Amino acid sequence: MTNRFPEILTNEKINERQIDFRNALFGLDKNIISIENLEYLTKIYNSTKQLNIRNKILKLLYDIDFATLKEYFTNAYKKERYLDMKIYALRGLSNFVGEKEIAKLLEKFNETLAKRQETTPYNYQEYELLRGKNALPFLVEKYGYSCFKETLEQVNKQYNAMPEAFKGHFTTDENGESVMLKKPEEIKTIMDKFWEDDRKKYVK
C-alpha cells in the first residue's frame, strides 16, 4: 500500500478496463485522498459507465467531508438507480445536510423500495446490500434519524416477506465488502430446488 496517490488515476486517457488502472482504484487507501487529488476520482465517477467503478468511488468518498463533495453526492444520489448505491450517496450527503432534507429524499426512496417488492419480489441481493453494515444500519447507528430507522424497517419487512430460499446467502461488512455466508454450490442447490418446486405448482 503506497501513501502516494496513484498517477495512473490522474491520466484521463487511460482505459478504465486496464488491469493497472483497476488495481490502483480498487486497492486505493482512502486515507490518502486529499482535496488536491479528490477531483480525479469524481471525474472518473462522472465519466464511467461501469457500475463497479462508481460503486467503489462512492465507498471511497462517503466518509470524507470536504465541502466540494456536497454537490457530488447530491448529483450521485439523483444519478444512481440501484437503491444500495443511492444509500451510499446518501451516506456521503449526510455529512453536509440535516435530518429534514434527508427525510424528504427518503420519502421518494421508500416509494421506489415498495415498488421493488411488486416488480422484483425476490430482490434479495439489493436487500442484503441495504442491510449491510456499511449501509442503513450504519446510518441508523450514527445519526439515529427516524427516517433512517423507518427505511431500514421497510427493507427488513420486505426482506422477511421473501421465501427462505433467498435469505442469508451473503452480507456486507463495515467496509462494504461482500462476505459470503454460504458456498456457491449450496446457494445453487437451494435456488434450483426453489424454482423446481415453484414450477411444479403450475404443472398438472
Side-chain angles (χ1 to χ4, degrees), residues 83-197:
L83 297 183
D84 56 300
M85 292 175 71
K86 289 183 84 70
I87 287 296
Y88 299 155
L90 198 59
R91 173 169 167 171
L93 188 58
S94 295
N95 293 314
F96 307 100
V97 302
E99 183 175 6
K100 186 176 181 180
E101 190 168 342
I102 295 295
K104 187 174 181 180
L105 291 172
L106 282 176
E107 285 180 11
K108 182 65 180 294
F109 181 96
N110 292 344
E111 291 176 8
T112 304
L113 175 61
K115 290 178 182 177
R116 286 288 203 273
Q117 192 169 29
E118 301 170 10
T119 58
T120 50
Y122 308 134
N123 191 32
Y124 76 96
Q125 293 171 316
E126 200 166 39
Y127 291 150
E128 293 291 13
L129 293 171
L130 292 170
R131 287 157 40 92
K133 291 183 179 180
N134 70 317
L136 283 166
F138 171 90
L139 292 168
V140 168
E141 182 175 350
K142 180 174 180 178
Y143 296 101
Y145 296 163
S146 295
C147 56
F148 283 140
K149 293 177 182 178
E150 290 167 4
T151 299
L152 179 57
E153 286 173 3
Q154 184 175 337
V155 169
N156 285 331
K157 182 179 179 180
Q158 292 180 206
Y159 176 86
N160 290 330
M162 292 190 303
E164 289 301 316
F166 296 93
K167 300 175 186 176
H169 297 315
F170 77 98
T171 186
T172 51
D173 63 18
E174 294 85 351
N175 298 314
E177 299 298 326
S178 293
V179 178
M180 298 307 298
L181 303 176
K182 295 173 183 171
K183 295 180 179 179
E185 54 270 26
E186 182 182 0
I187 295 172
K188 183 178 185 304
T189 299
I190 292 171
M191 292 289 194
D192 288 348
K193 184 178 187 305
F194 173 84
W195 292 118
E196 177 61 21
D197 290 345

Side-chain angles (χ1 to χ4, degrees), residues 58-73:
L58 281 171
K59 289 189 284 190
L60 282 169
L61 299 181
Y62 60 22
D63 289 328
I64 298 176
D65 60 1
F66 298 146
T68 54
L69 282 173
K70 180 180 179 181
E71 182 179 3
Y72 163 76
F73 285 119

Side-chain angles (χ1 to χ4, degrees), residues 2-54:
T2 177
N3 59 359
R4 295 182 59 188
F5 193 82
E7 186 175 347
I8 195 169
L9 298 182
T10 70
N11 185 349
E12 294 183 14
K13 296 181 180 180
I14 198 73
N15 187 330
E16 63 190 22
R17 296 180 184 275
Q18 190 172 317
I19 189 65
D20 290 342
F21 171 90
R22 297 182 66 83
N23 286 342
L25 178 64
F26 286 89
L28 185 64
D29 180 358
K30 64 182 179 181
N31 293 312
I32 68 171
I33 299 173
S34 67
I35 194 71
E36 289 79 22
N37 58 44
L38 174 67
E39 64 177 306
Y40 297 116
L41 293 175
T42 56
K43 282 182 178 178
I44 294 169
Y45 175 91
N46 289 324
S47 64
T48 186
K49 294 182 179 179
Q50 300 294 312
L51 282 175
N52 62 343
I53 290 178
R54 295 210 309 271

